[in-house]
Amino acid sequence: MAFQGKKLINDPNDVVTEFIEGLVETYPGLQYLDGFPEVKVVLRADVSSAAYDKVAIISGGGSGHEPAHAGYVGEGMLTAAICGDVFASPPVDSILAGIRAVTGSMGCLLIVKNYTGDRLNFGLAAEQAKSEGYKVETVIVGDDCALPPPRGIAGRRGLAGTILVHKVAGAAAAAGLSLADVAAEAKCASEMVGTMGVALSVCTLPGQVTSDRLGPGKMELGLGIHGEPGAAMADIQPVDVVVSHVLNQILSPETNYVPITRGNRVVLMINGLGATPIMELMIASGKAVPKLQLEHGLAVDRVYTGSFMTSLDMAGFSISIMKADETILQRLDAATKAPYWPVGVDGNHPPAKIPVPMPPSRSTKSDESLSLPPQLNQQGHILEVAIEAAANAIINLRDSLNEWDSKVGDGDCGSTMYRGATAILEDIRNYPLNDAAETVNEIGSSIRRIMGGTSGIIYNIFCKAAYAQLKASSQPVVTAKQWAEALEASITAISKYGGASAGYRTLLDALIPASAMLQERLNAGDDPCVAFVLSSEAALAGAESTKHMQAQAGRSTYVSGEILASVPDPGAMAAASWYRAAALAVEDKSRASS
């Protein structure tokens, strides 16, 4: 099935020139030759051939692999990048223009990915430049490890490992080495690196249709960076399995793609192909390092993770492994102003990263004070039934909360609250129930440990504020008035840090009416249990009233009023439900005790 690809572009024929214009506007150290649209060359703004006294490093190829190659132009890396049209080798005249623009008396090194068009065009440009008196050397990079040898005259394709060769050559040139020595280091580096890619989708060329030839649930192993078919198609597997397969393929002693054996030092590059989130790339890195260390017996000295050589919007990644020695590591760590070379990666990589120990709490509470007392007092019994009733109310309401939230939020309110409630029921056997303040604090700890999202932090703030208010009293038994003050303190804290208040369509629309009614009835002299139950009715009425409110906080602010009017706010209903359940449980307990 094919469909028109979605692109944020203008004319598909102008994407490369417009990319270059945006690139040089972004980075002051970059400039381009005035030869559009035929000549598309990005070069260092501080280099001219007449005065440049170091070896110029030039690379390039078809566009669509950004940030390669133009993103690696800068001191310490490439001197110029020659850009072809999307997936098309740059013409000879463009390459010649780049050579003439930046090559001084020390000569230039052309780093070329192993594709027939690139080899021919860069090769002819090199011969022409030599005839004009320029000193030119060429290094071909073919780091592909996907296709089994032999591959005829085509050889192995040039992939993301080329970026590492750029860096080695650029650092050697910046150090003042001769053209012969720079070329020798680049050639050596190119022979030490192997790469293999895995794709979940093919890419879409600007202005063309997208075709998912892979189909649902499929991935392609060894796909090329121009979308050309890979070595094999397979069902999508967990990244652990994929990483293991790719590493085994690159390091296979049978194919001998790279001269890497157990005990060697290596550099690892995880390269996104254009549409792979950094989260997934980091997961791949985290799995690849220990596999290289433990399964292959290699010392991983550097890890580079990011999108270095892409294939437009292809989903997937490639893995490159380069054999390292002190010289290569020195070149990789050398300073560069190339905008897309990763920073913060230089320096020795530890054999194993041990997580930093969690800092101890400054709390002086003893373990004994935070355990269930051997015998509960009257307050402890009341707290126990109230907590259990509140938690069970949330558990029973999970599906309704999720259903409401699916219409006005992200659909997980019930599941999030359910996790908190089940954790509280599990932990209650360790709560110091005879100490109300510490029990409230421990409820907050249970919530913080297990309950994520905005709801988790809001209820943690709720418990912390109530704890601080209750702790201020030195009385062993908490009075109804003090509970009311603790509820008010919690509401104030949530409003302060969350920014919501009455009428914002949040849980406060249940808690604020409950707090007002509780204080009103207590001040009128009502029995505390009666006041609690009446306030719970106010909480329910407040939660129901959220149907008529326009959201001003949370994800519901992005939902239309028509949809909001069909359901109450899930957070408010959850708050009203546990509050109501606790009130009725306390009332029942008091009746049974009297």
Side-chain angles (χ1 to χ4, degrees), residues 28-94:
L30 302 185
Q31 188 53 278
Y32 65 91
L33 291 181
D34 185 16
F36 283 174
E38 290 81 12
V39 174
K40 297 180 280 287
V41 176
V42 176
L43 65 159
R44 284 173 52 182
D46 61 337
V47 169
S48 66
S49 58
Y52 195 49
D53 61 354
K54 290 184 170 63
V55 173
I57 308 297
I58 300 173
S59 190
S63 296
H65 307 301
E66 291 71 30
H69 299 273
Y72 302 112
V73 174
E75 183 180 350
M77 212 161 172
L78 298 183
T79 321
I82 321 300
C83 304
D85 291 330
V86 174
F87 293 171
S89 179
V92 173
D93 287 346
S94 291

Side-chain angles (χ1 to χ4, degrees), residues 12-165:
N13 296 315
D14 296 335
V15 291
V16 179
T17 56
E18 291 183 350
F19 156 73
I20 292 172
E21 288 170 347
L23 184 73
V24 301
E25 290 290 353
T26 303
Y27 298 106
L30 302 185
Q31 188 53 278
Y32 65 91
L33 291 181
D34 185 16
F36 283 174
E38 290 81 12
V39 174
K40 297 180 280 287
V41 176
V42 176
L43 65 159
R44 284 173 52 182
D46 61 337
V47 169
S48 66
S49 58
Y52 195 49
D53 61 354
K54 290 184 170 63
V55 173
I57 308 297
I58 300 173
S59 190
S63 296
H65 307 301
E66 291 71 30
H69 299 273
Y72 302 112
V73 174
E75 183 180 350
M77 212 161 172
L78 298 183
T79 321
I82 321 300
C83 304
D85 291 330
V86 174
F87 293 171
S89 179
V92 173
D93 287 346
S94 291
I95 301 168
L96 265 174
I99 293 172
R100 292 165 181 157
V102 298
T103 303
S105 59
M106 294 286 285
C108 72
L109 173 65
L110 305 181
I111 298 177
V112 183
K113 298 190 305 298
N114 189 31
Y115 293 97
T116 302
D118 287 350
R119 291 185 67 142
L120 292 174
N121 285 303
F122 275 88
L124 179 53
E127 293 305 314
Q128 177 64 33
K130 290 176 185 177
S131 73
E132 296 178 12
Y134 292 100
K135 293 187 284 187
V136 183
E137 292 288 345
T138 302
V139 168
I140 307 294
V141 182
D143 53 318
D144 182 19
C145 296
L147 303 175
R151 284 163 297 275
I153 62 170
R156 294 162 59 189
R157 298 172 293 193
L159 302 173
T162 308
I163 307 303
L164 298 173
V165 179

Side-chain angles (χ1 to χ4, degrees), residues 505-531:
R505 205 178 198 276
T506 70
L507 83 167
L508 292 184
D509 291 305
L511 296 178
I512 289 174
S515 177
M517 178 63 74
L518 182 61
Q519 295 197 44
E520 177 186 328
R521 300 321 306 164
L522 290 175
N523 290 337
D526 284 7
D527 176 80
C529 287
V530 173

Side-chain angles (χ1 to χ4, degrees), residues 109-355:
L109 173 65
L110 305 181
I111 298 177
V112 183
K113 298 190 305 298
N114 189 31
Y115 293 97
T116 302
D118 287 350
R119 291 185 67 142
L120 292 174
N121 285 303
F122 275 88
L124 179 53
E127 293 305 314
Q128 177 64 33
K130 290 176 185 177
S131 73
E132 296 178 12
Y134 292 100
K135 293 187 284 187
V136 183
E137 292 288 345
T138 302
V139 168
I140 307 294
V141 182
D143 53 318
D144 182 19
C145 296
L147 303 175
R151 284 163 297 275
I153 62 170
R156 294 162 59 189
R157 298 172 293 193
L159 302 173
T162 308
I163 307 303
L164 298 173
V165 179
H166 288 166
K167 185 62 175 65
V168 170
L177 270 63
S178 68
L179 177 58
D181 289 340
V182 171
E185 286 200 21
K187 186 173 188 302
C188 177
S190 71
E191 294 169 348
M192 297 293 150
V193 63
T195 300
M196 180 174 171
V198 177
L200 305 182
S201 71
V202 296
C203 53
T204 306
L205 274 67
Q208 296 189 21
V209 297
T210 298
S211 176
D212 185 8
R213 72 163 183 263
L214 299 184
K218 296 293 183 180
M219 63 181 183
E220 197 155 10
L221 306 172
L223 196 76
I225 56 173
H226 307 99
E228 63 268 34
M233 193 177 294
D235 292 334
I236 292 178
Q237 301 291 325
V239 72
D240 257 345
V241 177
V242 175
V243 168
S244 290
H245 175 81
V246 173
L247 296 182
N248 290 337
Q249 182 79 2
I250 295 173
L251 299 170
S252 168
E254 286 77 21
T255 52
N256 196 30
Y257 289 118
V258 285
I260 297 174
T261 56
R262 299 183 73 86
N264 286 163
R265 305 164 68 182
V266 296
V267 167
L268 169 69
M269 173 180 277
I270 304 292
N271 169 61
L273 295 178
T276 308
I278 193 69
M279 176 186 288
E280 295 177 24
L281 298 179
M282 287 298 175
I283 292 172
S285 289
K287 300 305 178 185
V289 171
K291 289 180 186 294
L292 287 170
Q293 293 169 329
L294 301 177
E295 297 176 17
H296 296 276
L298 302 173
V300 182
D301 281 335
R302 301 290 184 276
V303 180
Y304 303 99
T305 304
S307 294
F308 304 104
M309 181 179 286
T310 65
S311 184
L312 292 170
D313 55 357
M314 183 182 289
F317 63 84
S318 65
I319 297 179
S320 300
I321 307 170
M322 173 182 272
K323 184 177 181 180
D325 56 25
E326 284 303 324
T327 299
I328 282 180
L329 294 177
Q330 181 183 356
R331 300 302 187 211
L332 294 175
D333 289 348
T336 179
K337 292 183 179 179
Y340 284 91
W341 178 255
V343 297
V345 180
D346 56 309
N348 293 326
H349 189 279
K353 282 211 171 183
I354 307 301

Side-chain angles (χ1 to χ4, degrees), residues 101 123 136-137 160 182 192 219 255 356 369 374 465 496 548 557 563 590:
V136 183
E137 292 288 345
V182 171
M192 297 293 150
M219 63 181 183
T255 52
V356 177
S369 70
K496 175 182 177 181
H548 312 296
T557 54
I563 295 175
S590 297

Side-chain angles (χ1 to χ4, degrees), residues 444-473:
S445 296
S446 298
I447 289 170
R448 183 174 68 244
R449 175 175 56 84
I450 205 72
M451 193 169 154
T454 303
S455 298
I457 190 65
I458 284 175
Y459 275 104
N460 197 10
I461 290 172
F462 180 96
C463 292
K464 282 296 180 184
Y467 167 72
Q469 184 67 30
L470 293 171
K471 199 68 176 172
S473 171

